[in-house]
Amino acid sequence: MKANSDGVISVIGAGYVGLASSVVFAGAGYKVYLVDIDKHKIKLIKKGEAPFYETGIQDLIKRGLDKGNLIPTDSYAEAISNSHIVFSCVGTPDSPDGSTNLQYVFDAANEALKYMQNGTLYAQKSTVSVGTGVKIASLFAKSGKHVEYISNPEFLREGTALRDTLWFDRIVVGNGSRKAIGHIFELYGQVEKWRQDIASSAGIVPPDNAPVGEYIIATNVKSAELTKLAANSFLALKISFANSIAKLADKAGADINEVMAAVGSDPRIGRDFLNAGRGYGGGCFPKDVSGLIASALEHGVDMDIMEAVQDVNASMPGYIMEKLQNYFQGNLKGRKMAILGLSFKAGTSDTRRSPGITLANLLVAADADVRVYDPEAMVEAAPQLHQKVQPQSSLSAAIKDAAAILVATDWPDFIHREVSDYRQQTQPPTLLVDCMNRFDILSVKRAGLEYMGIGRGDF
Ligand code: UDX
């Protein structure tokens, strides 16, 4: 396949993965149909608007539309029948029992199958439980059409979705024939070739250290599926490990940031994902950890280690509450508390399983007077907030006269501003609760605020 008019791709699902992939493929010269059954979403994208906040995405949508390379549509027929490669990027929410809900994955495969031509490559980017690909491949085989199924798991992070797609560290291809691997190799080769150009048109800053590693890792389909679940679960495990040590550091008087900097300097361990704090949230880690546990259960394998990871993570907002109760001597009633940050991480408006929201609701349950602010996530957070939580339209309004300011998301505006700004808008003593351990303790104290971190020896 060539990066010219012969190269036609369909991407099913306009979520983080689907939208980021489509605008990047379009930027690399492919004609990309972005298919979603949500007509409202498609209408927005056609107008050049992103359905969620993600750095640079709006610019690349506009660029794709202007060049005629990006074609948003709700019609499978229009998109799929013209495409050589179809990427499935639909959502895989978790079911109430923790297993992965694959309804959309199978719906997309069945719908696409109606229109795929012989020779089409169907690439699964959605995170699925182990064994899903084999089922879809046999569904394709039964249809009598020659459609090849591969697993091509996605490792992008929200907030840096475009940068991760442009500067990928590995491409995993499960089940690919030589021809299929060749197509994927060529596609990502084009992305690599055009990435500087795409990035600069959207103001995306390249990573400091461009990722190195295996370019394409070819595996069987089940290995590729398990790789995705295992990779995310391992990262979640690192975070829960850091949080467990943080609780000990608090009691023992150590500083978790110092400990993890030293521990992580061993290249066998690595510093990444050892940041202790209010725990992980989002649409991936919580779901992928429970998906791995459910998959293991299905195969009669115990996954106690990941259950412990879940338990530690779930305990973190409660742990912060315990620290607050301790600090305010059990009296939070009527106290003005500001929460800064409602998205599950900086750089995104996504509020799924967001610790900032959990903290706001826990504080309301403790009868505190709770004000919240986030630069991008107010709209998405609203339905999840208790009605007594008071949303504010600015940081200043949220922190005015607060007894405690909880920085729950590390938005640059929150962590890089002068600490004295916080001090000037409150009456001492004001407590700064550094829920992600991003502040320098001395600077906070020098500015006249009290400091509370997570695992920084101040319990
Ligand atoms: C994750 C994976 O990183 C990505 O490879 C995969 O494709 C999707 O899932 P994402 O959920 O977007 O990406 O965010 P990530 O940056 O991994 O952070 C997840 C959560 O962990 C956030 O709430 C973040 O604040 C938290 N976190 C991260 C920590 O608490 N400590 C850390 O050290 C790192």
Side-chain angles (χ1 to χ4, degrees):
M1 204 164 113
K2 296 276 178 294
N4 55 31
S5 55
D6 302 337
V8 183
I9 294 172
S10 275
V11 174
I12 308 172
Y16 288 92
V17 171
L19 192 49
S21 304
S22 10
V23 294
V24 165
F25 296 155
Y30 291 85
K31 180 171 174 182
V32 182
Y33 287 95
L34 174 59
V35 196
D36 202 297
I37 50 173
D38 184 336
K39 289 188 180 356
H40 174 67
K41 241 186 203 178
I42 291 299
K43 216 168 139 187
L44 268 182
I45 300 169
K46 272 188 173 164
K47 282 196 287 180
E49 289 171 33
F52 45 78
Y53 176 78
E54 177 68 44
T55 310
I57 205 114
Q58 188 109 2
D59 297 312
L60 290 188
I61 291 174
K62 286 197 179 119
R63 181 177 142 135
L65 293 173
D66 288 349
K67 290 199 170 174
N69 282 2
L70 180 67
I71 306 158
T73 174
D74 61 2
S75 162
Y76 273 74
E78 178 195 3
I80 309 290
S81 47
N82 282 313
S83 299
H84 297 84
I85 305 183
V86 176
F87 283 98
S88 163
C89 305
V90 296
T92 48
D94 45 355
S95 311
D97 67 355
S99 63
T100 310
N101 177 351
L102 296 170
Q103 188 62 47
Y104 302 126
V105 167
F106 280 98
D107 286 353
N110 277 312
E111 198 57 25
L113 182 57
K114 291 184 192 163
Y115 307 104
M116 283 191 286
Q117 313 279 345
N118 283 330
T120 308
L121 180 61
Y122 193 86
Q124 187 67 259
K125 275 199 177 291
S126 303
T127 304
V128 296
S129 47
V130 189
T132 306
V134 171
K135 287 184 196 151
I136 299 176
S138 83
L139 203 128
F140 288 171
K142 274 189 206 136
S143 76
K145 283 188 186 172
H146 296 290
V147 172
E148 186 169 348
Y149 180 93
I150 61 163
S151 168
N152 176 215
E154 182 52 60
F155 299 99
L156 67 78
R157 290 161 297 175
E158 288 177 30
T160 51
L162 292 169
R163 193 174 70 180
D164 293 348
T165 308
L166 293 166
W167 277 274
F168 45 89
D169 55 4
R170 68 229 197 259
I171 304 294
V172 175
V173 179
N175 200 35
S177 63
R178 283 177 84 88
K179 194 171 148 208
I181 292 174
H183 281 336
I184 296 294
F185 193 82
E186 188 174 341
L187 172 62
Y188 286 101
Q190 289 298 323
V191 170
E192 207 171 12
K193 183 173 160 196
W194 290 102
R195 65 189 176 194
Q196 287 289 356
D197 176 61
I198 301 170
S200 60
S201 71
I204 295 157
V205 183
D208 291 339
N209 301 309
V212 286
E214 301 276 351
Y215 187 57
I216 287 219
I217 303 172
T219 68
N220 73 35
V221 68
K222 289 182 178 171
S223 300
E225 290 166 343
L226 190 52
T227 299
K228 175 64 199 273
L229 288 178
N232 272 357
S233 295
F234 186 72
L235 294 171
L237 183 145
K238 284 186 88 174
I239 298 169
S240 281
F241 176 79
N243 281 331
S244 300
I245 303 292
K247 289 182 184 177
L248 172 58
D250 255 344
K251 296 279 164 61
D255 183 335
I256 190 70
N257 284 8
E258 292 175 358
V259 175
M260 286 309 162
V263 168
S265 68
D266 180 336
R268 292 173 300 173
I269 298 172
R271 177 64 185 86
D272 290 347
F273 285 77
L274 286 177
N275 296 325
R278 67 337 184 226
Y280 59 78
C284 290
F285 285 177
K287 175 172 76 70
D288 293 351
V289 170
S290 55
L292 182 67
I293 295 171
S295 263
L297 208 75
E298 232 179 86
H299 289 88
V301 173
D302 103 63
M303 201 50 81
D304 292 356
I305 187 169
M306 295 315 300
E307 286 180 13
V309 166
Q310 274 182 329
D311 291 347
V312 171
N313 195 57
S315 77
M316 294 317 291
Y319 179 72
I320 295 174
M321 286 298 293
E322 200 185 323
K323 286 179 64 120
L324 282 171
Q325 291 282 10
N326 197 44
Y327 178 87
F328 288 108
Q329 292 162 345
N331 188 9
L332 292 174
K333 195 164 183 216
R335 277 194 204 277
K336 282 193 181 147
M337 311 292 259
I339 303 237
L340 301 182
L342 298 173
S343 58
F344 81 98
K345 61 185 271 190
T348 174
S349 57
D350 193 343
T351 56
R352 286 175 289 175
R353 312 267 169 101
S354 176
I357 292 177
T358 308
L359 280 165
N361 292 338
L362 284 174
L363 281 166
V364 161
D367 284 331
D369 178 355
V370 186
R371 283 132 214 248
V372 295
Y373 171 70
D374 188 287
E376 296 294 342
M378 297 307 283
V379 174
E380 286 183 40
Q384 299 167 64
L385 292 169
H386 188 282
Q387 58 187 22
K388 286 192 176 157
V389 173
Q390 302 156 60
Q392 304 294 316
S393 55
S394 70
L395 180 141
S396 305
I399 67 170
K400 189 164 187 310
D401 296 332
I405 300 168
L406 285 78
V407 180
T409 308
D410 52 354
W411 282 103
D413 181 39
F414 299 164
I415 58 168
H416 294 142
R417 68 171 47 222
E418 288 296 324
V419 194
S420 51
D421 273 8
Y422 290 119
R423 165 69 193 79
Q424 276 154 17
Q425 300 184 56
T426 53
Q427 299 296 326
T430 308
L431 175 68
L432 183 88
V433 187
D434 185 7
C435 300
M436 296 188 76
N437 291 342
R438 298 300 300 260
F439 289 84
D440 174 53
I441 302 177
L442 267 183
S443 311
V444 173
K445 289 188 172 168
R446 269 198 213 114
L449 293 152
E450 310 248 316
Y451 179 86
M452 179 187 283
I454 316 302
R456 305 192 74 184
D458 54 19
F459 198 89

